[in-house]
Amino acid sequence: MSSPIHTSLTLIAFLSVSKVYHPNISSASGAICLDILKDAWSPVLTLKSTLISLQSLLCSPEPNDPQDAEVAKHYTTSRASFNETARYWTQAYAGGPKSSASSAPVTKDEVAIAGLEKAHVDQFEALGFERSKVIDVLRRLNYRGSNVANISEDRIVEALLK
């Protein structure tokens, strides 16, 4: 994470550098939805109090005030699947520890763990691309939910060809 840089009266930036699968953190930009980083910020707040607030938010998501609506929907509708996806993102993007279960053969559906739609993966796999590469590209492009309409199939194919 980058640290907050502030002038005497304003907070300039504080966002996640590592990709985080959390309702209150944008999976695309890393922007964090925390009131003290926006409207409730005060020059009186210390780095310590800011980090404590961030830790509290990470431990107790607020899906009713999300930064990422698709992740919040996943959190509220399927907590077990959400937890698997969050664990995967922690391992893939933040160097999180591999659980002892991950050393066993993978029985979970990689598509669901990545938070993707099976039909989207199948569509590009049918074009002859390797399943694992399709999943990786769709995950990197955040090809899920309302974002699907913003990403052209040509862009995905170009990324798959790289």
Side-chain angles (χ1 to χ4, degrees), residues 100-116:
S100 57
S102 68
S103 59
V106 178
T107 57
K108 301 289 182 187
D109 181 17
E110 284 183 284
V111 176
I113 290 172
L116 300 169

Side-chain angles (χ1 to χ4, degrees), residues 1 14 22 34 48-61:
M1 285 190 209
F14 196 101
H22 191 281
L34 183 61
K48 180 179 178 179
S49 63
T50 303
L51 290 175
I52 288 170
S53 295
L54 181 58
Q55 180 184 27
S56 175
L57 179 70
L58 290 172
C59 292
S60 302

Side-chain angles (χ1 to χ4, degrees), residues 127-143:
L127 295 176
F129 294 104
E130 198 174 296
R131 181 179 184 82
S132 61
K133 185 162 186 170
V134 171
I135 292 170
D136 182 54
V137 166
L138 295 180
R139 187 182 315 118
R140 277 190 290 115
L141 293 174
N142 196 26
Y143 194 74

Side-chain angles (χ1 to χ4, degrees), residues 12 62 102 116 130 144 152 155 160:
I12 295 174
E62 298 178 14
S102 68
L116 300 169
E130 198 174 296
R144 59 176 64 84
S152 72
R155 182 172 172 205
L160 287 166

Side-chain angles (χ1 to χ4, degrees), residues 51-92:
L51 290 175
I52 288 170
S53 295
L54 181 58
Q55 180 184 27
S56 175
L57 179 70
L58 290 172
C59 292
S60 302
E62 298 178 14
N64 295 329
D65 184 22
Q67 179 72 31
D68 192 315
E70 292 300 319
V71 176
K73 181 179 177 184
H74 192 195
Y75 179 84
T76 57
T77 59
S78 179
R79 186 69 58 86
S81 174
F82 168 85
N83 288 341
E84 285 183 41
T85 303
R87 190 173 302 109
Y88 176 84
W89 278 45
T90 301
Q91 292 168 352

